Amino acid sequence: MKLEVKNICCIGAGYVGGPTMAVIADKCPEINVNVVDKNEKRLKGWNSLDLSLLPVYEHGLDKLILRCRGRNLHFSNDLEKHISEADMIFISVNTPTKSKGIGAGQASDLKWIDASAREIAKYARGETIVIEKSTLPVRTAQTIKEILDSSSLLNQNKKFTVLSNPEFLSEGSAINDLENPDRVLIGGDDEDSINALTKIYLKWVNPEKILTTNLWSSELSKLSANAFLAQRISSINSISAICEATGADIKDVSKAIGTDSRIGEDFLNAGPGFGGSCFKKDILNLVYIANHYGLKEVASYWQKVVDINNWQTKRVSSLIVEKLFGTISSKKIAILGYAFKANTNDSRESAAISVSKELLNEGGNICIYDPKVSISQIKSDLVEDPIHLSNLEKSEGGWASAPTAIEAIKGSDAVVILTEWEEFRSLNWSKVASLMRPPSWIFDTRSIIDLEDAKKYGLNIWSIGLGN
Ligand code: UDX
Ligand code: UDX
């Protein structure tokens, strides 16, 4: 395989493909990077002159786009052209959990991976390094290889190697994670291809941070890393319930256990349940694989991490209803934060979706404010049209979106903080109390507010993992 990479193509301009390619283009001005996507609306966003319309919100992404777009970073729908010119192709399409057929509810739907491999097989010319960037079930590389090899049999000029190079970026800090990774993992068996990819990362990553393994170890490491992170959250969330029951404080417990250097302080924040496109999907993938190999105990071990997560989210919505005297019918509830975490516009698998649906189902009128998630996204998640803010109080089980936190709070019986956006840490509690209908409740599912300050104004407060 040749070593010089001049043209990169990335299939999929999503939360992973877009930021990852922007960083590669920035660090490697000599390489031409083309990101292709079939979604015209997304492409329009990536090509927009107004950088606030980029489809992905990440701190620092706009500056990279401004610097590289049109220079050596391009977004287009011309799959044929860019695949045929590429020396290296990243597959970065989405792999949602299957909703029907074999493995429904657990296995990943690989139809887009399959389709991408076929397109590469069809349009590629010469020698091409194909890289799995999407998180995939272990041994997917084999499927990709088989599809590609069948086309090289027909055309001797086409030669492919497949590498796994999973992404460990965390949304909300994607650019920083890409620029300063803990490690870069490259799985494969063709030394030249591994060297070609390593050479790209070496432009900004220290060599000791680049780990190479075989394909399967690389694929499994990505799933396992996410499963371990999610497991910590389920563990701390389970302890949060014990804190509430016993009078302990989860913040103290997290600190006390996290200072043990063997445990470490990260990922010990109790919350309404983890969300995001990866954790649930990747654990379910592990469960599916374990079952496939007859490892029933392993499967049920990891399934529990997801079960506790669902339980935690449901626990939050149930106790809101309980604290509001068992009925929220026609009461106004302000939802502060809808993204699955702060600093992103992504709402995939956000706890806010299930909490909102439960509250709507109980007849509550919910008013949602999030600084970055669009109203059209919320509409598609809740599968229900919004009503105008001014009509919300006449409704029963309706939702509206508000332009500010204060607008959402006006006239509400309860405020539920679901995402840890910075602006919710410093709400003016005197003003909040004056705008709400008493007895007013604040539910802080991220334990971010200043309790002493808020309590001064007669607000009832429930904070996750805080026992009385
Ligand atoms: C990524 C990873 O790839 C996924 O495996 C991981 O588990 C979650 O993160 P992400 O970038 O977040 O996915 O997904 P998304 O934002 O949905 O972007 C995927 C893009 O691929 C979309 O813009 C979609 O239009 C595009 N796509 C999908 C194609 O261009 N062609 C296809 O055939 C399928
Ligand atoms: C995750 C992994 O961190 C990343 O390495 C991988 O590439 C993709 O999946 P992401 O889903 O973007 O990244 O966000 P992450 O910061 O891991 O948060 C996931 C969820 O866990 C969020 O809903 C977040 O609010 C929640 N969380 C995180 C907690 O509830 N408590 C914590 O202490 C940390």
Side-chain angles (χ1 to χ4, degrees), residues 167-182:
E167 192 46 75
F168 293 104
L169 68 81
S170 169
E171 286 177 35
S173 55
I175 304 302
N176 182 53
D177 296 346
L178 284 161
E179 289 182 338
N180 306 292
D182 285 346

Side-chain angles (χ1 to χ4, degrees), residues 252-282:
D252 292 339
V253 176
S254 293
K255 189 162 182 201
I257 64 174
T259 43
D260 185 325
S261 59
R262 292 166 303 174
I263 297 175
E265 61 185 12
D266 294 332
F267 271 68
L268 286 180
N269 293 321
F274 57 74
S277 71
C278 286
F279 281 178
K280 188 169 157 203
K281 173 168 76 74
D282 291 355

Side-chain angles (χ1 to χ4, degrees), residues 252-315:
D252 292 339
V253 176
S254 293
K255 189 162 182 201
I257 64 174
T259 43
D260 185 325
S261 59
R262 292 166 303 174
I263 297 175
E265 61 185 12
D266 294 332
F267 271 68
L268 286 180
N269 293 321
F274 57 74
S277 71
C278 286
F279 281 178
K280 188 169 157 203
K281 173 168 76 74
D282 291 355
I283 298 171
L284 291 176
N285 246 314
L286 269 189
V287 172
Y288 185 72
I289 292 166
N291 271 325
H292 176 78
Y293 289 104
L295 303 166
K296 301 265 176 278
E297 287 75 10
V298 178
S300 64
Y301 176 76
W302 287 108
Q303 179 63 48
K304 275 286 164 215
V305 174
V306 175
D307 292 349
I308 288 284
N309 197 54
N310 295 337
W311 173 79
Q312 179 81 344
T313 309
K314 182 90 184 145
R315 200 166 80 75

Side-chain angles (χ1 to χ4, degrees), residues 388-439:
H388 196 270
L389 192 51
S390 57
N391 293 329
L392 192 62
E393 63 187 50
K394 290 177 231 138
S395 162
E396 186 180 345
W399 73 276
S401 100
T404 62
I406 288 297
E407 281 299 319
I409 290 168
K410 266 184 199 159
S412 63
D413 297 272
V415 170
V416 186
I417 298 174
L418 286 172
T419 312
E420 72 284 21
W421 286 103
E422 200 54 40
E423 62 174 278
F424 305 148
R425 290 178 195 269
S426 51
L427 284 167
N428 179 336
W429 293 110
S430 151
K431 186 166 183 190
V432 168
S434 73
L435 292 172
M436 292 181 72
R437 192 169 78 140

Side-chain angles (χ1 to χ4, degrees), residues 13-20 42 46 55-61 92 94 135 167-178 222 226 229 267 275-279 281-282 338-350 372-373 377 419-421 446:
Y15 282 87
V16 170
T20 308
R42 251 196 184 177
W46 283 114
V56 171
Y57 171 74
E58 280 295 342
H59 182 73
L61 179 61
S92 195
N94 42 334
T135 309
E167 192 46 75
F168 293 104
L169 68 81
S170 169
E171 286 177 35
S173 55
I175 304 302
N176 182 53
D177 296 346
L178 284 161
K222 168 69 199 213
N226 274 349
L229 290 169
F267 271 68
S277 71
C278 286
F279 281 178
K281 173 168 76 74
D282 291 355
Y338 187 85
F340 79 98
K341 62 189 280 195
N343 304 319
T344 175
N345 61 343
D346 192 351
S347 68
R348 286 178 289 178
E349 300 291 339
S350 175
K372 291 288 174 200
V373 181
Q377 184 56 52
T419 312
E420 72 284 21
W421 286 103
R446 298 279 186 172

Side-chain angles (χ1 to χ4, degrees), residues 313 316-317 320 335 351-360 416 418:
T313 309
V316 166
S317 50
I320 294 171
I335 301 279
I353 302 174
S354 354
V355 171
S356 301
K357 281 186 172 168
E358 291 281 345
L359 299 179
L360 289 173
V416 186
L418 286 172

Side-chain angles (χ1 to χ4, degrees), residues 102-287:
I102 300 166
Q106 282 184 345
S108 278
D109 191 338
L110 297 180
K111 67 179 173 199
W112 307 126
I113 296 285
D114 189 289
S116 302
R118 283 171 203 279
E119 273 155 342
I120 295 170
K122 190 163 155 198
Y123 300 127
R125 293 187 206 151
E127 298 178 342
T128 314
I129 302 169
V130 177
I131 301 175
E132 293 179 341
K133 200 50 153 166
S134 305
T135 309
L136 295 165
V138 183
R139 302 198 78 88
T140 304
Q142 190 60 37
T143 310
I144 299 177
K145 260 186 172 168
E146 280 171 25
I147 294 172
L148 296 175
D149 287 348
S150 60
S151 88
S152 15
L153 279 179
L154 297 174
N155 180 340
Q156 300 291 321
N157 292 330
K158 294 189 187 192
K159 288 201 176 56
F160 299 101
T161 51
V162 180
L163 300 179
S164 157
N165 174 220
E167 192 46 75
F168 293 104
L169 68 81
S170 169
E171 286 177 35
S173 55
I175 304 302
N176 182 53
D177 296 346
L178 284 161
E179 289 182 338
N180 306 292
D182 285 346
R183 75 324 208 165
V184 167
L185 181 57
I186 302 176
D189 49 22
D190 181 77
E191 212 172 312
D192 289 343
S193 308
I194 293 174
N195 287 341
L197 183 57
T198 304
K199 203 173 149 197
I200 292 175
Y201 282 113
L202 280 176
K203 294 269 173 175
W204 76 97
V205 179
N206 287 335
E208 67 272 17
K209 286 193 171 173
I210 302 179
L211 312 178
T212 51
T213 66
N214 71 23
L215 276 169
W216 326 125
S217 299
S218 172
E219 290 177 337
L220 184 58
S221 300
K222 168 69 199 213
L223 293 185
S224 307
N226 274 349
F228 270 59
L229 290 169
Q231 183 193 40
R232 283 172 72 91
I233 303 169
S234 277
S235 298
I236 206 70
N237 283 346
S238 75
I239 302 295
S240 74
I242 302 185
C243 288
E244 289 159 32
T246 57
D249 181 342
I250 194 66
K251 280 183 148 174
D252 292 339
V253 176
S254 293
K255 189 162 182 201
I257 64 174
T259 43
D260 185 325
S261 59
R262 292 166 303 174
I263 297 175
E265 61 185 12
D266 294 332
F267 271 68
L268 286 180
N269 293 321
F274 57 74
S277 71
C278 286
F279 281 178
K280 188 169 157 203
K281 173 168 76 74
D282 291 355
I283 298 171
L284 291 176
N285 246 314
L286 269 189
V287 172

